[in-house]
Amino acid sequence: MNSDVDWAAQAQRFQQDLAQQWTQALQQFQPAAGGAGAVPHLGFAPDKLQALQQAYVREACELWNAGLGAKPAGDKRFAGDAWAHNPVAAFTAAIYLLNARTLLGLAEAADTDAKTKARLRFAVEQWMAASAPSNFMALNAEAQQKAIETKGESIAKGLQNLLADLQQGHVSMTDESAFEVGRNVATSEGAVVFENELFQLLEYKPLTRQVYERPYLVVPPCINKFYILDLQPENSLIRYLVEQGHRTFVVSWRNVDASLEDKTWDDYIEDAALKAISVVQEISGARQINALGFCVGGTILGTALAVAAARGDKPVASATLLTTLLDFSDTGVLDLFIDEPFVKYREMQMGKGGLLKGQELASTFSFLRPNDLVWNYVVGNYLKGETPPPFDLLYWNSDSTNLPGPMYTWYLRNTYHENNLVKPGKAVVCGEKVDLRKVDLPVYIYGSREDHIVPIAGAYASVKHLPGKKRFVMGASGHIAGVINPPAKKKRSYWTNDKLPETYEAWLAGAKEHPGSWWTDWAAWLKSHAGKQVPAPKAYGKGAKYKAIEPAPGRYVKAKA
């Protein structure tokens, strides 16, 4: 009987202490007196705070009353049997989940501007991911069980993995020793037919007796390596283009080093995109070519076409933009990082010269999905001593690239921060005023529905700024998986709508879903812009000026950051 009274008294004191601690914690979020203007306004409505406090105290008391019988429900990190059979670990995880839910609720309840609220939410999500009990050996029931079962071998292996990752400079997502560029990834047959200090131009061997008279140029993103489009023969977009009868050329960007740290956005437009277009014209003898830009490669291609248009040139007959932003009014979660102080800091740091290291870019994108792309591997590699299985996509994802500081800072200010490409005449590139209204050609625009890097509404916004005949198609999945979806897999769906209303939401309301890959729709569209068929070339390049330099994929793509 006395024990029941003691337990009730302890529970009551726990509830009182919890309420007091909660009140003190909330006071830390209130802006300091006289701080107006120094930081964004941040306040909390009393009724929302009271509701959060009451919910927290109620759930905490329920956990307290459940004691070591508490279960961390609804989170795959704590779903294993080891957690269920370890009451202390399960209780710790349940408390963590309660704190995480409450802090996220607090961020949602904040009375502030939308950007500050989004930053609060992002910060809380990062804390939630980093502080999970599963990330610590002392609290991870599965890691402890494995250490016992292997008699400590998993701990020793985890330390080996940690030392290896420290040496290579990033967390391993896959068994990188299983892959080699040119041996079992990026294996489509071809040759380098031109190179300068910024890129190599690859031409691929035809797989048909005849090809279309208009050659096809692919401009991939310079923040990644091009072989995401040529991982394996069965999922290679490059091979698919060749199989459809297109004479295919691909830009392979240089992984820049200190010798190129002063290169600018103008250099990437004039000496890379426009140069690649002119070389393909010379090799093929075609007055006009067709071109594709993927992600940042699409932004580069769009800018190059605007520069060409300003000069009275029209070297491209049709363009394809895959998960590309031309209008940066909706940039999703990346907008959290961009404001004037950040842009100015970057300009001071590397605007006149320097390198944006590839690992910094890779880490930024990984922490957009921290549980899946960071902490999942920390737990598996180091706490459990596991070697991640071979996966070509994750090998490519880890193969980062550097960028020249001046090029990066121009891009940062004029796209993400000021959105100047869609303001006629505002951006000046290669001495020409950029005006997308002059880029008058047929355009195929693709966006991925779950893309967290190029939000689908941002991809759709391009239709408002390009005057030519346009087709917009949406695919299922994300930034990469949505694009790399070969028809033979018969996976996912895509949506079409011949009408192009003002907003993406209106487009989606009238869109029709089709099973399978969007590639077949794109191939049919391309065929109508490819011209007549001519005999396939029997050799790479053209004459002595554009002779084969080395086999594809070339040496630029093999350089490590």
Side-chain angles (χ1 to χ4, degrees):
M1 185 70 177
N2 287 340
S3 62
D4 290 343
V5 173
D6 290 344
W7 175 256
Q10 290 174 8
Q12 185 175 9
R13 283 198 300 271
F14 170 76
Q15 182 170 346
Q16 291 171 345
D17 291 344
L18 198 60
Q20 183 179 1
Q21 292 167 9
W22 175 263
T23 301
Q24 292 172 348
L26 290 179
Q27 290 173 350
Q28 303 303 314
F29 284 90
Q30 301 302 323
V39 295
H41 168 74
L42 180 62
F44 298 89
D47 57 332
K48 292 182 179 179
L49 289 183
Q50 185 177 21
L52 278 170
Q53 177 182 336
Q54 290 173 348
Y56 184 87
V57 170
R58 182 181 67 254
E59 292 185 51
C61 288
E62 290 173 358
L63 284 178
W64 182 269
N65 291 330
L68 297 181
K71 303 294 182 184
D75 194 301
K76 65 181 181 181
R77 292 171 293 180
F78 314 117
D81 290 341
W83 291 93
H85 296 149
N86 187 326
V88 174
F91 182 78
T92 302
I95 287 290
Y96 157 78
L97 291 174
L98 171 59
N99 289 337
R101 287 194 302 271
T102 305
L103 274 176
L104 197 56
L106 185 62
E108 294 295 340
D111 179 17
T112 186
D113 62 276
K115 190 160 188 172
T116 300
K117 178 175 283 193
R119 284 176 164 171
L120 278 173
R121 189 186 303 114
F122 181 79
V124 169
E125 288 170 350
Q126 294 300 315
W127 172 86
M128 288 165 57
S131 64
S134 53
N135 297 341
F136 304 92
M137 176 61 79
L139 301 173
N140 189 316
E142 290 179 329
Q144 293 169 8
Q145 182 179 6
K146 186 162 188 178
I148 294 170
E149 290 174 349
T150 62
K151 298 180 181 179
E153 185 179 345
S154 64
I155 296 177
K157 179 61 176 173
L159 287 173
Q160 292 176 5
N161 291 343
L162 174 60
L163 290 173
D165 284 356
L166 286 173
Q167 189 172 15
Q168 72 178 5
H170 63 266
V171 178
S172 294
M173 297 182 180
T174 184
D175 181 3
E176 297 181 20
S177 65
F179 299 100
E180 181 184 343
V181 175
R183 180 177 63 85
N184 55 3
V185 292
T187 59
S188 291
E189 190 174 352
V192 176
V193 293
F194 173 83
E195 68 181 42
N196 63 19
E197 59 184 356
L198 287 178
F199 76 101
Q200 289 186 316
L201 184 67
L202 311 180
E203 181 181 3
Y204 285 89
K205 182 180 179 179
L207 296 174
T208 54
R209 295 181 65 181
Q210 290 189 310
V211 295
Y212 291 106
E213 63 178 340
R214 282 185 184 143
Y216 206 86
L217 173 66
V218 176
V219 183
C222 54
I223 62 172
N224 301 111
K225 294 187 175 179
F226 82 87
Y227 65 89
I228 185 59
L229 303 174
D230 190 34
L231 282 175
Q232 302 296 332
E234 60 269 19
N235 66 1
S236 171
L237 186 142
I238 290 172
R239 183 178 177 87
Y240 182 78
L241 273 170
V242 176
E243 289 174 338
Q244 300 302 305
H246 298 280
R247 188 178 182 183
T248 303
F249 297 80
V250 175
V251 169
S252 175
W253 295 103
R254 174 89 172 270
N255 198 344
V256 299
D257 55 23
S259 67
L260 300 173
E261 66 175 12
D262 61 343
K263 293 300 178 182
T264 65
W265 184 260
D266 282 16
D267 293 324
Y268 272 67
I269 301 304
E270 189 76 76
D271 299 333
L274 289 173
K275 183 62 178 178
I277 290 170
S278 68
V279 170
V280 173
Q281 285 177 300
E282 286 187 51
I283 290 175
S284 65
R287 188 177 64 84
Q288 286 186 310
I289 70 170
N290 292 319
L292 175 151
F294 177 24
C295 188
V296 180
T299 310
I300 290 173
L301 177 62
T303 306
L305 295 178
V307 170
R311 295 171 176 173
D313 299 331
K314 192 176 180 181
V316 174
S318 76
T320 297
L321 301 177
L322 305 183
T323 59
T324 290
L325 291 173
L326 295 177
D327 184 334
F328 285 74
S329 55
D330 181 1
T331 59
V333 69
L334 291 176
D335 182 59
L336 300 177
F337 303 99
I338 311 299
D339 57 19
E340 182 63 22
F342 175 77
V343 174
K344 278 188 174 178
Y345 166 72
R346 285 305 210 182
E347 289 172 337
M348 292 173 60
Q349 183 186 38
M350 60 181 71
K352 298 297 183 182
L355 291 179
L356 177 68
K357 294 292 187 179
Q359 189 53 48
E360 183 177 347
L361 271 176
S363 296
T364 298
F365 287 117
S366 291
F367 275 100
L368 297 180
R369 295 168 55 197
N371 284 327
D372 294 333
L373 296 179
V374 180
W375 300 108
N376 173 52
Y377 297 102
V378 168
V379 172
N381 296 0
Y382 311 148
L383 302 191
K384 298 180 181 179
E386 298 170 347
T387 299
F391 189 12
D392 53 11
L393 176 61
L394 291 178
Y395 173 78
W396 166 84
N397 191 62
S398 300
D399 195 3
S400 58
T401 57
N402 302 325
L403 291 179
M407 175 268 192
Y408 163 70
T409 54
W410 189 98
Y411 174 67
L412 196 63
R413 175 169 291 282
N414 285 277
T415 59
Y416 280 95
H417 187 43
E418 296 182 358
N419 198 20
N420 287 333
L421 292 181
V422 295
K423 301 172 183 175
K426 177 67 174 177
V428 177
V429 179
C430 303
E432 307 291 347
K433 293 183 177 180
V434 173
D435 187 349
L436 294 176
R437 297 174 302 178
K438 296 181 179 179
V439 183
D440 189 3
L441 76 171
V443 183
Y444 189 101
I445 304 170
Y446 168 85
S448 290
R449 185 178 58 182
E450 286 90 31
D451 196 333
H452 63 294
I453 295 173
V454 177
I456 184 64
Y460 183 80
S462 295
V463 305
K464 297 185 292 185
H465 305 288
L466 299 171
K469 189 174 182 180
K470 298 170 287 286
R471 181 168 180 78
F472 182 82
V473 173
M474 179 180 74
S477 197
H479 189 68
I480 298 300
V483 171
I484 309 303
N485 185 30
K489 299 284 187 180
K490 298 181 179 179
K491 292 174 63 177
R492 307 188 182 97
S493 299
Y494 67 96
W495 289 258
T496 62
N497 183 352
D498 292 337
K499 296 180 179 179
L500 297 174
E502 183 69 17
T503 65
Y504 158 72
E505 290 75 16
W507 178 90
L508 182 62
K512 180 181 179 182
E513 182 177 359
H514 309 271
S517 171
W518 61 272
W519 288 16
T520 53
D521 181 85
W522 175 53
W525 184 89
L526 278 182
K527 186 177 180 179
S528 66
H529 299 287
K532 65 182 181 181
Q533 291 201 321
V534 297
K538 299 186 184 305
Y540 298 116
K542 185 178 183 180
K545 185 177 181 181
Y546 296 114
K547 62 183 180 180
I549 298 171
E550 61 182 332
R555 66 188 186 281
Y556 281 14
V557 73
K558 296 179 182 180
K560 298 295 183 180

